[in-house]
Every structure is written in C-alpha cells, then in structure tokens.
Amino acid sequence: MNALLTVEDLHVSFPGKGRRAPRTEVLRGVSLDVGPGETLGLVGESGSGKTTIGRAILGLVPVASGTITFGGRRIDGLAGRRRRALARELQVIFQDPYTSLNPARTIGDTLAEPLLGLGARAARERVATLLDRVHLPADAAHRLPREFSGGQRQRVAIARALAIDPKLVVCDEPVSALDLTTQRTVLDLLLEIQEQSGVSYLFVSHDLAVVRFMAHRVAVIHRGRIVETGDAATVTTEPSHPYTRGLLLAAPVADVAAQRARREAFERYASSAAER
Amino acid sequence: MSTPSGTPPRAPSGTSPDAPPGPLPSEPPGAPPGAPSRRSRGVPARVARHPLGLVSALLLTAILLAVAFAPALSPQPPDVSSLRDAFGGPAAGHPLGFDSAGRDILSRLLHGGRNTLGGAALALAVALALGVPAGLLAGYYGGWFDSAASWVVNMIMALPAMVVLLASRAILGPTVWVLMVVLGFLVAPAFFRLVRGIVAAVRGELYVDAARVSGLSDTRIVARHILIVVRAPIIIQVALVSGIAIGLQAGLEFLGIGSGDAPTWGAMLNEAFKNIQRAPSLLLWPGLALGLTSGALVLLAAALRDVLEDRGTHRRPPRRPSRRAAAVARAAQPHEPRAALLSVRDLAVAYPERQVVHGVDLDVHAGEIVGLVGESGSGKTQTAFAILGILPETGRIAGGSVTIDGQEIVGLPERRHRALRGNVVAYVPQEPMSNLDPAFTIGSQLVEPIRHKLGLSRAEARERALDLLARVEIADPERAFRSYPHEISGGMAQRVLIAGAMSCDPKLLIADEPTTALDVRVQAEVLGLLRRLQRERDLGVLLVTHNLGVVADLCDRVAVMSEGRIVETGTAEQVLHAPEHPYTRRLIGAVLEVP
C-alpha cells in the first residue's frame, strides 16, 4: 500500500490557561493514512480533536511528537519557504464559508491568491475555468463575498482549494454550516471533482451520514485517539467499537417508525453504558 | 489502496427512495445577479455626504491652505515690528491689528500655524512610524516581541507626558522640533495598541489561514489581508491624535517652553495672556485658530468613523404594534376551530426592506409537539420571534392574528406581553452558551427570574431552581447551581436553559433549533428530555428545526416552511412518508440516509 499521506503517532497539545497550567493534550497518538484518489472520513464529536488533525497536517498548529509523511516526504515541522512550496499539493476547505473568504476582496481576487506566480492574464483565465468548474457564473469574479449565499461561498472555497490541482484536500466540516439541499449539491460537486481529477480528501465531519456518503474508509476519533478505522460501509453500519455504536444510534433518521426503533435502541445502549 | 483502477469503492450512496431524479437544482443566489456592488463610492465622496464631515473637512482644508500659503497671504513678515503700532487695532492692510510688540497679528497667525501644525505633523509621523509597524509585528507574530513591545508600551503610557516633555527640553534644548519627536514617542502607544489588537483578531480569521495554506508569504498576507483592515481605524486615530498633539504643543508654548522666537499659536496665547489686562482681545485670534483646528479634527474623526465603519445614522422606525394589524386581527375570520393553546392565523412579518413571513397559519394544542421545518431564510425563526414578541428592532407584525391561551397578542402592549412570556409561553434558544451570562453562576441566573416572576423569597427560589435542575436530569444539581457557564458543557447548558424556561410552569414552549449546536449523543438525550417534559406536564411545544431526523423523533405534526409561507402541514408520518408539495419532496430527497 502506497499511501499519499501517512500520520503516525501524532501528538498535539495546547498551552493551558495560566503560566503554570499543564498543557492540554488534544491528540494522543493518532495514526491514519490516505491513499491516492481516496477519501478518508474522520468522524468525531466536538472537542475530539478531529479539526486539529487537519490543522496539524496543514502546518497551522505545531506538532509535539509523531510524524506526518506526504508523498514520501516528512512534512511535520516544515516552515517558511518549504512549507509554502507544499501549497501546490496540499489544500484546505474550511467549515465556515462566511469567515473563510476575505469580505473586502472580490471572489476573483481571492481565487487568484494561490496563482500569484502565474501572471495576471493567465491567472484571470484560470479563475474563469475554476468558477466554471464549481458551477458559478463567470461574472462572480468581480463580486464580493457578501453577495453570495453560504452554498455559493463554499463553492468559491472549493475553487480556491482546487486552483493549483492539489493532490490532497483537507475538508474541515465543509457542509455543516449549509442547508440540507445546499449540502447535497456541494457534496455532489466534491465527488464530481474527485472523479475528474483523482484528488484525495481527508473529510472531517461530525455527521455519520455525510461521511458515509463521501468516504471510502472511515476513522472514528474520540478524545484525541482513533478508536476505530475501516471500510466506510462497515464502520457506519456495523461498528465494532461501542463509542461508534453510540454515535450511530444517536443520529436520528427521517422516518417515524425507524426512528422509534432507533431511539429505543439508543436508550438501551445508554442504560447499558451507564451500568458499565 | 488495493483496487487497481479508478477510485476505490465507496459505501452505496444513501439517497432516500423518493428523491427526485436528476441533480438537485442549485441553491438560490444570495443576491440577484448583476446587483450593483455597493463598494464603488470612495471614502472622500462618502465624507462629503456626511454633514459634519463636510464642514470639518472644508474648514481643515481652508486652514491648511492658508497656512501653506502664509508668505503670500500675510501682509508682512511675522517678525517685522513697529513699536508705534503696539496694541493697535485693525488698520488698512492689517485686518486683525497689532500685538504688544507692534507685529501684524494676521502674519503671525499664519506663520505660527506653520510651526504649530508642522510640529504636530512631525509628532504624528514619528508616532505612526513607530507604532504601526511594531503593532503589526506584535499582533501578527505574537511571542517574545509581543511581550517585550507591550511591556515597553505600558511603561511609556504610565509616564506623564508633560513631565517628560519638560525634562527633555531641559536635556535636549529648547527646539520645538526635538520636542515634537519626543511627543511622537509618547503618543506612539496609541497606534501600537490599536494596530496590535486588530491584527491579533484578524490573524485568527479563517481567510488568513487559507492564505497561508495557499502558500502566500507573511509579507504578502500582511499586505493583502491585514493592512486593509487596520487602514480605517488608523485614519480615525490620526485625526484624534493630531488634535491631541496640537493641544500639547500649544500647551508647551503657552508655558513658554517652546523655541522662543518662532511664532506659534501657543506662543501667541502666552504673549496675549501676559497682556490680558491691557488688551484682552489678543487672546481671541490664536485661541480661535486652536479651537477651530482641534474641534474640526475631532468632528472629522467622528465623521470618518461613521463613514469607514459603516455606522451611518440609521433612522429608527417607530416601534409600535400597528393599529391596522390589530384591526386585521379582529377582522380575521376563523375558517377552522382554533387551537386553545397557540393559534396563528394569516401572520405576516415585515422589515423595512421586505416582508419575510406571508400569511402563516399554525396551531399547537396542549400536549402536542409541532415541528416548524425549513431552511435558513425560510422565515421559521421570524415566525417564532413574532409569536414571542421579540422581533428585532426594525421588524414588525404586519398583519394577522396570534392567540396564546386564548389571548390575542398582536397589538398587545409590551408590558402585558412580557407578563405572558415566562408564565404562559417560554423560549429555548439555539446557542445555549451565548444565552448564559458568563459573569454569573448558573444558580443566580435561574433564581433571579424565579424571584421576579413568582415573587418567592431567595431561599424558596433556590429550592425551586435546584428542583428544576434535577427535573432536567442534571446529575448533581447542587454542583451545577454553583458553576459558572464556562465550567459546564454545551449539553448541560442547554438543560439549564430548558430548566429556566420551565421555571414558571409555562403551557407552551417555543424551542428554536434547540439541539443544532449539540453533538448527536447529547442531542438524543435533550430530545428525550423534551419528550418526557411534554408528557409529564401536557406541555405544547413548537419546535423550530431544519433536521428531519429530529422531526421524526419528536414531532406529532409538522409544518414545512419555504420563502415565508407554510407549504405543507400534516402529521409527521404523512409529511415524511408521503410529502405532497414539491419543496417538501426536494427537502426529503436531500436527506442523506443515516446507515
């Protein structure tokens, strides 16, 4: 198996509040890998450390120990020019489409940001191609983010991530701020792009249904540790770890009878968990 | 990956069977295409439209021009004196008269302005050159430079400016320009702290992270994303600080600690003050020049703030329940029997720009949970706010009727509406954390409303609050009672808010996305809690949500809202299994099947 991204025994901690306070361990030995053209879903609750994994891979938080290998090179601890060179291959889509675009810059300006080396004319052409690829009108380049809905802004963020044909995109809850129908169109767009370009996704989400829809394999993270990894269909239907089972049973389904059965199952699970 | 070709296998895509064929139509645009961008007008144009800004800018321009062209405008050089004319009044060619040494006042005023304003400009330039780059570095990188710079700045701010200036004159000699450089040092902290604070905030924005991931160097990021944000506050601060610099400079000169011979407004004031018995009118001209300049700078700063920070003077629309709406309410014909607990008929909610809720009908009976489902912007929260009577400032109920427990609330005076809230109808908000005040314990936040609403003693209210906390299934009520909001989890915070909502035994609970901010396992527990409360106390619940799973779990009936209208109502089973309206079908089709 020749993985594109390998994370081994990753530890990340943040300074505690106050000078003497102990550091808070956010990741306690996380290992995972993402193959070329593959989507690895990373599921967890708030505070589980799932977002921190993505940020550590992108070099936005310092790594305490462990290794991150991307395309055969160690990338943990890279800084300055060498980290910037990685931008061609490693990109991100953030959760909040409202704060991830600079409100004072036009869409075209934002999209041209990763293309600064290209020259104005080539960059303009590339921006037009990108907008077309995420199904936004060409005149969007001249408008400001506030003129767009959440779903449209997320398309812009996707276009920015794709600007220089990366190999891996870290998607940090890319649809959780969007409406249901919008969510679906954005997910479909991500799948379409993957089919065309063979890009890999590390898809971070709290929503099992979204992860199941997107991912080939799923890793479940709980309190800074991966508790279960496996094939998406298996992990999301017959999880082996009790924590994952709880997550699965707690997610309500849009069907009255099925949800009643699921609720009873969750209550049984909760009471048995309380006994343990 | 093990698969040899193409993308690896994926779990079967989970589309609900009645999903519409083909791709979903893309979401509606945020603004109509081709809507003109409102960025086009520049700052000068907008200042010109601001009445105070226009006046002060014109005045400052006039003063600056007059001072700049002082040699051309003044009748004679400022130092030419003829003792014959000392204290002489206005004469031909000398419109403002002469001072104690027989020098022309107008000439001295114009040339003095050069020194005074030039000095202030120098101080400002020094302050900007020191404060802004240091603030950028400290805010952007933090770390040791931030600590060191902040320490130095705090120390400078602790120094009394006047004393330092007096001391530096003694050491460095009586040149006004040197003193102004020192003054620049002393006001630099104002810029440092301003810039550092803003940059540190922008630094955490996701778009800055995105730029870093895009491979931009720090210099580029600062130039593209950060300078643009600090620009406006710096301009405002410049206007304010120049006023202060002019005042301090004039103060020094007035005390006679200036450069002595050179004419300045402060020195003129000093001279006039010496002769105040003989010719009090000498104070007028330099005083006026200083006052007008400083005043114009302060007003310009205020105008710039309005313009740059988009805080124009909004006219508050009259906030009163419209009589017409009340009349409509009376006229509304009951088509069907209205529910006793909550009944909404033909409700319309309007903002000055547009109407957001159009003719909504809704009923909630006692002991019933009704889901109000829709996407963002569908008007579901506006409907809930209208029922609660807590619409934002500019919104109003434009028509229709809402009865709670048989009482019409459209057109009800605010005082009587307030009595209804809490006692009959209670509210559970979406964001539990932002609805608790971080400065008070959970206990005191529960006890205060109970005492106020039920008139209980402190001890009785405490008993009741503990009882409520136990009833919302908090394991250790005593401990939760003593905790501050930051010490409890989001799920616990939502339980506390539900406890607060239940404190006066309401008949109707309005919950606006009560579990959206929670993790699924906590959501399941909170939904269970709501179900038990509803059963035990025959509570009516209006549950605003976008989550159809929550609807299936909890709701007896559902109303689906789209673009301000209810498009479909029915039992939860009907709506989820056999949706009739195309919008409902589209909504259900977009649900990703939970495995």
Side-chain angles (χ1 to χ4, degrees), chain A residues 38 46 55 84 87 99-100 102 104-105 109 113 116 147 179 181 184 194 214 216 236 253 259 262-263, chain B residues 1 8-10 24 27 30-31 39 207 209-210 213 215 220 224-225 375-376 519 521 531 552-553 577 595:
Chain A
E38 186 194 32
S46 51
R55 292 181 69 85
R84 288 205 291 278
T99 59
S100 67
N102 188 337
R105 298 224 161 247
D109 224 4
E113 195 155 82
L116 283 173
E147 296 173 47
D179 276 325
T181 49
R184 183 60 189 279
Q194 188 172 46
M214 287 300 294
H216 304 103
T236 56
V253 286
Q259 174 54 22
R262 177 173 283 234
R263 180 168 71 223
Chain B
M1 283 308 294
R10 204 185 297 273
L24 291 157
E27 66 277 7
R39 202 175 60 148
Y207 60 79
D209 279 342
V213 175
R220 273 240 160 86
R224 288 179 61 88
H225 294 293
E375 299 194 297
S376 53
D519 282 323
R521 295 193 310 165
R531 182 180 306 105
D553 188 73
H577 284 267

Side-chain angles (χ1 to χ4, degrees), chain B residues 223-244:
Chain B
R224 288 179 61 88
H225 294 293
I226 297 200
L227 281 181
I228 205 169
V229 187
V230 293
R231 198 185 50 190
I234 289 181
I235 294 174
I236 296 163
Q237 189 87 344
V238 160
L240 280 175
V241 169
S242 30
I244 296 172

Side-chain angles (χ1 to χ4, degrees), chain B residues 568-592:
Chain B
E568 182 160 4
T569 355
T571 66
E573 300 208 17
Q574 271 170 8
V575 173
L576 292 176
H577 284 267
E580 278 171 9
H581 194 275
Y583 175 77
T584 319
R585 258 180 259 158
R586 194 152 79 82
L587 204 59
I588 293 174
V591 172
L592 300 170

Side-chain angles (χ1 to χ4, degrees), chain A residues 8-20:
Chain A
E8 264 170 56
D9 197 28
L10 181 68
H11 288 258
V12 171
S13 60
F14 292 127
K17 289 192 184 109
R19 206 162 277 272
R20 297 268 161 75

